[in-house]
Amino acid sequence: MAVSMREVDPVFQGAGQKDGLEIWRIEKLQAVPVPKESHGKFFTGDSYIILKTTALKNGSFRNDIHYWLGKDTSQDEAGTAAIKTVELDAALGGRAVQYREVQGNETEKFLSYFRPCIIPEEGGVASGFRHTEINEREHVTRLFVCRGRHTVHVKEVPFARSSLNHDDIFILDTKSKIFQFNGSNSSIQERAKALEVVQYLKDTNHEGKCDVAAVEDGKLMADADAGEFWGLFGGFAPLPRKTFSELNGKDTAFASKLLCVNKGQTVSVDCEVLTRALLDTTKCYLLDCGSEIYAWMGRETALEDRKRAGLAAEELLREGNRPKSHIIRLMEGFETVIFRSKFNKWPKKAEAVVSDESRGKVAALLKRQGFNVKGIAKAAPVKEEPQPQIDCTGNLQVWRVNDSDKTFLSFSEQCKFYSGDCYIFQYSYTGDEGEECLVGTWFGKRSIQEERTAAISLADKMVESLKFQAVLVRLYEGKEPIEFFPIFQNLVIFKGGASTGYKKFVSENGIEDDTYSENGVALFRIQGSGPDNMQAIQVDTAAPSLNSSYCYILHDGDTVFTWVGNLSSSMDQELAERQLDVIKPNLQSRLLKEGSEYDQFWKLLGVKSEYPSQKIVRDQESDAHLFSCTFSKGVLKVREIFNFAQDDMMAEDIFILDCHSSVFVWVGQHVDTKIRAQALSIGEKFIEFDILMEDLSRETPLYVIAEGSEPQFFTRFFTWDSAKSALHGNSFERRLSIVKDGLKPRRDKPKRRPTTSSHTGRSSVPDKSQRRSASFSPDRVRVRGRSPAFNALAANFENSNTRNLSTPPPAARKPFSKSSPDPAKPPQRAASIAAMSASFERPRPTLIPKSIKASPDVNKPQSEASKPKPEVNAKESTPAVKDGQTLTSTIQEDAKEGQPEDEEGLPAYPYDRLRTSSTNPVKDIDQTRRETYLSSAEFREKFGMTKEAFAKLPKWKQNRLKIALQLF
C-alpha cells in the first residue's frame, strides 16, 4: 500500500543523504533541528530524535533512528517523538530501524554515537523547566556512577556516602581533582572504561588541567588519595550492600509472544514455533521478548497503521510496568540480525529494495511547498581495488604435512602445492614496527582430515616457539585472502597429492589417483595481477572448466596449447607466457584464441560444450563488525561492539573482527593461557554459528592475532596507535597512566630477531642466495622481471638451451638497503654507490624478440608447428659478453648509430613504435619496460609526470597507467 507523503513533516527534507548524525528536539510538539555543536548535549525535560546514517561499502546507506526520552519529558512530547520517528522513516523510504531510548537505560548502539558517554543536564524546553546555568567561575562538585564493560552508562547521584557501593564505579569531580572510586566487585574492564569518562570530564570541565586519582575500595587511610577522597565524605564508613531487588533486577527467562496489531488493538497469534510465514506484509506485528518489544511493519501497510503499531508497543510497556524495556521498530526487508534469530530458520536475507519512489514523493511534496530539495543522494560504492597490506619481499619457508609430521620443501619446490595435501608456511617480513611473522596452514580441497589436524597442531607449536608474536592463519584452497598470493608470488596448484597420508588414503579406499603428471593431459587456469602475483591452478580437463575471462594452458605430454579467452586482458596473456616457463619450459606452445580452436584441442577436453564468461568472484570484504567473546565449557557468547575503536579491545578479553571475507581473533596479553590456546577453536565456533546470518563459509580465512603483534591488514580497520600496546600493566593501569601523564610516543620497537625453528633444526633465515630483500616501502619501485620464486621454479631451465624463448630474460633487481643513506657520509661514497646501482638498474637486452614465439602458422602441419626453434638461432643472435662487461653495452652501441638517447643512456623511440599494437614495432628492446624508451618530453606528455615521479608510484599503479597507454 502506498504511503501518503502529505503526513510527513517537511523538516525531514534531505535527511539521511550523507554519513553522520542528525538530531531534532521536540519543541512545542514540532521537530526542530539541533545544531551540530550541540550534538551529545541532552536535557532531562526534553525528547529528541536522532538519525544515524552509515555509508556502506556496497554503495547503500544504513539508517538507524532513535527517539530519546528524558526522565522529566512530558507525555505529549514523548508521543510526538514516537510519531515523528515514523514520519522520518517514511521519508527515508521505510528502510530504517527505529529504537526507543529512555534516559538511564539507553541501548549500547545509541551510546556508541556519543563516546565516551552522555551526561544529561537538568531542564527542558516545553516541560516548564529552565536549563541549569552553571557559573563558570564556580565549580560544582558532582558524583557520578558508571556501569558497563563496553559502553558506559553514566548517571549523576547525590554527593553522599550512601550513594557509594562495592559493585559499581564512581567518579567524584571536584574543583582541583577528579577521583575514580573502584568498587571491590567491579571488573578491570569496567574500571578501564570509566577512565574514559574521567578523561572527558577533565577535558570538558577543567580544560585538561587537573589531577586524577584512583581510589580502590578497601584501601583506607594508608593511601593519600584514598584519605583525601574519604575526607570529602566526612570520613570513612562501611558501604551498604545492594538490595536483593537491585541484584535481581534483570528480566528472567521470558517466552516470546507474537501479537498482531489491528486498528491499534493487539491480538495474540497462536503458534508453537515462530516462523517467517506468520508475518503478513499487509499487517503490523509486535514481538514481545521481555526486555525488548519489536514492532514489525509490513511493506504494504499504511503510515497510520505503522504509527498505531508504535503506540500499541508503548501501551504494552505501560501495562506491564516495564519502563526499562526497549521498543525496536523495523520494516519488512530490513530486519535486524537479533530479530531474525528469534525465528526458526529465517529465510536467506535478500537484498531489500529501497523505496526510492517513496523518497521521491517526499521530495516532490516538499518542492510543491516551496522547499529547495535536491535529488535523492546515494553513497558512492567503494570501487578501489583491494591491495595486499603486507610486505611481499620477506623470507618464506614452506613444509608439507606427511601424516603427523612435516617435511621442509626446498626453495624451488615451495611454490608447488597439491590439492590433496596440507602445507605450513612461515613468512617473516618487515612491518611498521619491525620484523613481523606470519605462520599459516593451507588445506587443499582433497586433503584428508588427519593431516589437517596435524597441520594445525604443528602450526600452533611453531607460534608458541615464537612466543606468540607470530600471527596464525588457517586457509583453505579457493578461499585464500588477498595477502596470501603475493607472498608466494608465483604459485602452481596441481591436482592429486604427494603426502604419505594422501597416497595411503587413495590406496586404501580404491580411489583413482589423479595426481598431476607432466607426461599426461592437464589444464591450468592462469590468474593474477602481475609477475609478482600470479597463479596456475590445475582444473578438470573438460570444456566447462574454461572461462572467457582467463587464459589457459593445456598440455598432452609435449603438445602444448595456450588458450586466450576473449575477455582476458593483455596482462593475463603475459602471465600465461610466464607460466609456460614453469609448467613446460622447454616446449613451444600453440596460441589459440577463443573461437578459433583446433579439433585436437576439443578432443583433449573430451567434447566441446558451453562454459562461463564471468570472472570468478571471491568473497568480497564487507563492513567490519567487532564482537567481544566469552568462551566457557564449550559455549561461546558474543556481544557486538558498535562504532568500535582500538580502545574497545581490552587486554583481558578476546575479540573477533568479522569483515566477511576474513575473520580475525584478537587475543589480549592478559587472557588466561588456557583460553588463549583455544583461540582458533573460538574463531571456528564463531564462523560455524554465522552470528551475522550472512552465509559465512566454513572455509573463511581465520586469523589469530596476539596483542602487540597486530599486522597492517588488521590495524587498517581502526585508527591505530601502536604505542598503546607497548604500555605495561592491565587495561585499567595502562589507561590510568594515559589519563594522568598522557600517551607518550612509542620508541622504535626493537626488531624481532629471526628465530630458529626447534622443529626442523633449520634457521628461519634462508641462505643469502635464496633470501628476498627485506626492505619495504609503499613507494618503492620493484624492478620488472621474474620474481625470486619464479626464478627458483624455473631454476632447472635457466640456460639458453632450455629457456622458453618467448619470455624476456629476468631483469636484474636493484639491491635495496635497509637503512636510509646518511647525509653525513662523504659524497664520493654516495656517488660510487649511485653509479653501481645505476649499472644494476639498466635493463638487460632481449636476446630473442618476443615475436619469435608467435603462434605457429595454421597452414603448417601440427608436427612441424610444434617443433621448438633451433637452439643455434638463439646463440647466433646473442652478442658475446666478456667478463665484467655489462649487457647494457649492446643497447648503448645501438644508440650510437644515429638513434637519440634519453637521460638514462637508453635509445629514445617514438610512442607510436613502442605501443603493443604498433604496426612498426621496435625490436631488440626490453618488452617489459617499453616506457623507459620514451624521451623525457614525450614521457611527460603521455604520463603527465616525470620518469622520477612515475618510478615512485606503487607497482600496480604503474601497470595500470602502462596498460592504458598500450605499453604493457
Side-chain angles (χ1 to χ4, degrees), residues 689-966:
F689 292 158
D690 191 14
I691 304 296
L692 294 175
M693 300 179 69
E694 55 183 6
D695 294 322
L696 198 62
S697 170
R698 294 285 188 91
E699 299 179 354
T700 299
L702 177 60
Y703 294 85
V704 176
I705 300 172
E707 181 184 8
S709 301
E710 296 87 355
Q712 188 178 358
F713 52 81
F714 173 78
T715 59
R716 65 191 177 92
F717 294 99
F718 304 81
T719 301
W720 196 263
D721 188 344
S722 58
K724 293 180 179 179
S725 298
L727 296 174
H728 298 291
N730 59 38
S731 298
F732 171 70
E733 293 167 341
R734 295 180 190 180
R735 299 196 182 178
L736 182 60
S737 67
I738 294 175
V739 173
K740 286 184 174 182
D741 306 321
L743 182 62
K744 298 178 181 179
R746 183 176 186 178
R747 296 180 179 179
D748 292 338
K749 181 179 178 181
K751 295 184 178 180
R752 305 173 192 144
R753 286 183 172 271
T755 306
T756 300
S757 173
S758 59
H759 308 290
T760 62
R762 300 180 62 95
S763 170
S764 63
V765 183
D767 295 336
K768 289 185 178 180
S769 61
Q770 298 182 357
R771 289 186 67 174
R772 307 183 193 181
S773 171
S775 62
F776 176 74
S777 168
D779 296 329
R780 193 189 77 183
V781 180
R782 297 183 66 178
V783 181
R784 181 68 174 276
R786 298 188 297 185
S787 65
F790 180 91
N791 289 332
L793 287 170
N796 296 327
F797 317 106
E798 278 303 303
N799 60 71
S800 59
N801 296 329
T802 58
R803 186 176 58 78
N804 191 318
L805 301 181
S806 68
T807 305
R813 287 177 180 261
K814 177 179 177 180
F816 292 99
S817 173
K818 282 191 176 183
S819 58
S820 58
D822 187 351
K825 294 287 181 71
Q828 293 86 354
R829 177 179 174 83
S832 301
I833 294 175
M836 185 181 298
S837 299
S839 67
F840 290 132
E841 288 179 333
R842 293 185 184 124
R844 183 175 178 177
T846 303
L847 304 183
I848 300 297
K850 186 176 273 192
S851 58
I852 286 183
K853 190 183 175 180
S855 58
D857 191 343
V858 295
N859 297 322
K860 290 184 180 182
Q862 176 189 343
S863 59
E864 182 180 350
S866 61
K867 288 180 180 179
K869 297 295 180 183
E871 299 167 2
V872 65
N873 291 345
K875 296 179 180 179
E876 290 175 359
S877 62
T878 305
V881 181
K882 297 180 180 180
D883 294 339
Q885 181 181 2
T886 63
L887 293 174
T888 55
S889 61
T890 306
I891 297 179
Q892 293 174 352
E893 289 173 4
D894 292 341
K896 295 178 181 178
E897 300 178 4
Q899 181 65 36
E901 293 187 10
D902 194 24
E903 290 84 344
E904 296 182 5
L906 298 177
Y909 295 100
Y911 168 70
D912 290 337
R913 294 193 63 194
L914 291 170
R915 291 187 305 162
T916 55
S917 59
S918 175
T919 57
N920 182 25
V922 181
K923 300 183 182 298
D924 297 336
I925 64 171
D926 186 348
Q927 305 288 341
T928 66
R929 301 181 67 225
R930 296 171 182 267
E931 75 282 358
T932 60
Y933 297 94
L934 288 171
S935 66
S936 296
E938 194 164 14
F939 189 97
R940 181 187 290 273
E941 176 187 349
K942 298 298 181 183
F943 285 86
M945 66 184 74
T946 64
K947 290 185 178 181
E948 291 76 11
F950 178 80
K952 294 180 180 180
L953 294 176
K955 189 68 175 179
W956 65 272
K957 286 189 177 180
Q958 292 183 11
N959 292 342
R960 182 175 293 179
L961 290 172
K962 289 162 64 175
I963 290 173
L965 292 171
Q966 298 183 19

Side-chain angles (χ1 to χ4, degrees), residues 148-397:
R149 288 170 59 111
H150 305 299
T151 54
V152 186
H153 289 80
V154 180
K155 178 182 178 182
E156 185 173 2
V157 294
F159 176 29
R161 185 191 297 110
S162 58
S163 297
L164 304 176
N165 61 59
H166 297 289
D167 302 293
D168 296 320
I169 297 168
F170 296 83
I171 297 175
L172 180 62
D173 184 9
T174 69
K175 184 176 182 179
S176 59
K177 182 180 287 190
I178 300 177
F179 297 88
Q180 175 171 316
F181 175 80
N182 300 320
S184 57
N185 297 332
S186 62
S187 67
I188 293 175
Q189 295 89 328
E190 290 175 314
R191 299 176 186 186
K193 268 297 172 184
L195 280 172
E196 295 180 7
V197 181
V198 171
Q199 184 69 61
Y200 170 76
L201 294 174
K202 180 180 178 181
D203 295 337
T204 305
N205 298 343
H206 303 270
E207 300 181 349
K209 300 175 182 178
C210 74
D211 294 331
V212 173
V215 178
E216 298 298 327
D217 185 11
K219 290 186 178 180
L220 305 180
M221 306 302 292
D223 187 288
D225 290 329
E228 184 180 355
F229 174 79
W230 288 113
L232 295 172
F233 289 92
F236 173 79
L239 300 181
R241 296 282 180 181
K242 281 190 176 181
T243 63
F244 180 81
S245 60
E246 290 176 316
L247 294 173
N248 297 275
K250 295 185 178 180
D251 292 328
T252 55
F254 190 94
S256 299
K257 296 183 297 185
L258 184 64
L259 307 170
C260 180
V261 182
N262 185 13
K263 296 181 179 180
Q265 301 299 316
T266 57
V267 180
S268 180
V269 177
D270 294 330
C271 60
E272 294 183 359
V273 180
L274 291 175
T275 62
R276 171 63 179 86
L278 294 172
L279 305 178
D280 188 342
T281 188
T282 63
K283 298 179 180 178
C284 295
Y285 295 84
L286 300 181
L287 180 62
D288 188 357
C289 302
S291 59
E292 301 94 15
I293 295 179
Y294 294 90
W296 184 90
M297 298 169 286
R299 297 205 64 83
E300 299 301 320
T301 55
L303 182 59
E304 190 61 32
D305 291 336
R306 299 175 190 177
K307 293 180 180 179
R308 289 172 179 168
L311 294 175
E314 298 268 1
E315 183 62 27
L316 190 61
L317 286 186
R318 284 193 294 271
E319 291 177 356
N321 191 23
R322 293 181 287 170
K324 293 186 177 181
S325 294
H326 296 111
I327 295 177
I328 303 172
R329 299 185 298 203
L330 29 79
M331 184 63 66
E332 178 184 2
F334 294 92
E335 297 87 355
T336 63
V337 173
I338 297 178
F339 177 81
R340 286 183 279 141
S341 67
K342 306 290 185 183
F343 290 76
N344 183 37
K345 296 181 180 179
W346 186 277
K348 180 180 177 181
K349 184 179 180 182
E351 290 295 328
V353 179
V354 175
S355 179
D356 286 348
E357 177 185 0
S358 299
R359 301 187 73 189
K361 290 180 179 179
V362 175
L365 173 63
L366 297 171
K367 191 173 183 179
R368 287 197 301 271
Q369 296 177 353
F371 292 97
N372 181 20
V373 182
K374 297 182 179 180
I376 298 173
K378 292 184 178 180
V382 177
K383 295 183 179 180
E384 294 183 3
E385 295 183 7
Q387 297 298 319
Q389 304 287 325
I390 193 170
D391 173 7
C392 301
T393 58
N395 298 320
L396 176 66
Q397 290 180 278

Side-chain angles (χ1 to χ4, degrees), residues 79 88 100 107 157 200 344 421 444 456 463 477 527 544 568 623 639 770 794 808 827 830 834 861 865 878 885:
L88 175 56
R100 175 181 180 266
T107 62
V157 294
Y200 170 76
N344 183 37
D421 294 341
I456 290 293
V463 173
E477 179 184 356
Q527 62 188 37
S568 64
D623 298 272
R639 187 171 192 147
Q770 298 182 357
T878 305
Q885 181 181 2

Side-chain angles (χ1 to χ4, degrees), residues 572-641:
D572 295 326
Q573 298 170 32
E574 179 182 340
L575 297 185
E577 291 216 6
R578 289 177 179 270
Q579 291 288 15
L580 285 172
D581 281 326
V582 177
I583 299 172
K584 288 293 180 180
N586 56 345
L587 294 175
Q588 297 295 321
S589 174
R590 305 173 70 181
L591 183 66
L592 300 177
K593 291 190 175 181
E594 182 179 2
S596 60
E597 300 86 354
Y598 299 132
D599 290 339
Q600 183 186 6
F601 176 83
W602 293 117
K603 185 177 180 181
L604 290 175
L605 295 182
V607 62
K608 185 176 182 180
S609 61
E610 294 183 355
Y611 49 83
S613 60
Q614 298 296 323
K615 268 191 174 292
I616 299 172
V617 179
R618 293 182 176 270
D619 289 338
Q620 299 298 307
E621 183 177 286
S622 64
D623 298 272
H625 297 260
L626 183 68
F627 300 86
S628 66
C629 302
T630 56
F631 190 66
S632 177
K633 298 181 180 179
V635 178
L636 175 64
K637 295 181 180 180
V638 300
R639 187 171 192 147
E640 183 169 4
I641 311 298

Side-chain angles (χ1 to χ4, degrees), residues 438-600:
L438 178 66
V439 175
T441 59
W442 184 90
F443 301 152
K445 290 182 178 179
R446 298 187 60 187
S447 58
I448 61 176
Q449 184 60 45
E450 290 79 4
E451 290 190 337
R452 292 183 180 184
T453 303
I456 290 293
S457 177
L458 293 169
D460 281 339
K461 292 178 181 178
M462 292 173 64
V463 173
E464 184 178 356
S465 70
L466 294 170
K467 298 181 179 179
F468 299 101
Q469 291 184 328
V471 174
L472 177 66
V473 60
R474 184 217 63 185
L475 305 175
Y476 285 86
E477 179 184 356
K479 290 287 187 178
E480 300 89 350
I482 191 173
E483 290 80 19
F484 175 76
F485 290 126
I487 290 176
F488 288 82
Q489 298 189 343
N490 180 37
L491 183 65
V492 182
I493 300 179
F494 299 107
K495 280 180 168 290
S499 69
T500 54
Y502 175 81
K503 292 177 180 178
K504 185 188 303 182
F505 177 80
V506 170
S507 175
E508 292 177 353
N509 291 273
I511 301 174
E512 182 182 357
D513 189 356
D514 60 350
T515 300
Y516 170 76
S517 171
E518 61 181 12
N519 297 321
V521 180
L523 179 66
F524 293 87
R525 182 181 71 246
I526 310 302
Q527 62 188 37
S529 61
D532 294 330
N533 179 7
M534 56 181 179
Q535 304 87 46
I537 314 295
Q538 186 179 0
V539 295
D540 292 337
T541 311
S545 297
L546 299 175
N547 189 312
S548 300
S549 295
Y550 296 92
C551 295
Y552 290 77
I553 295 174
L554 172 66
H555 75 71
D556 179 12
D558 293 342
T559 302
V560 185
F561 296 97
T562 300
W563 186 85
V564 179
N566 289 334
L567 300 180
S568 64
S569 65
S570 58
M571 171 60 74
D572 295 326
Q573 298 170 32
E574 179 182 340
L575 297 185
E577 291 216 6
R578 289 177 179 270
Q579 291 288 15
L580 285 172
D581 281 326
V582 177
I583 299 172
K584 288 293 180 180
N586 56 345
L587 294 175
Q588 297 295 321
S589 174
R590 305 173 70 181
L591 183 66
L592 300 177
K593 291 190 175 181
E594 182 179 2
S596 60
E597 300 86 354
Y598 299 132
D599 290 339
Q600 183 186 6

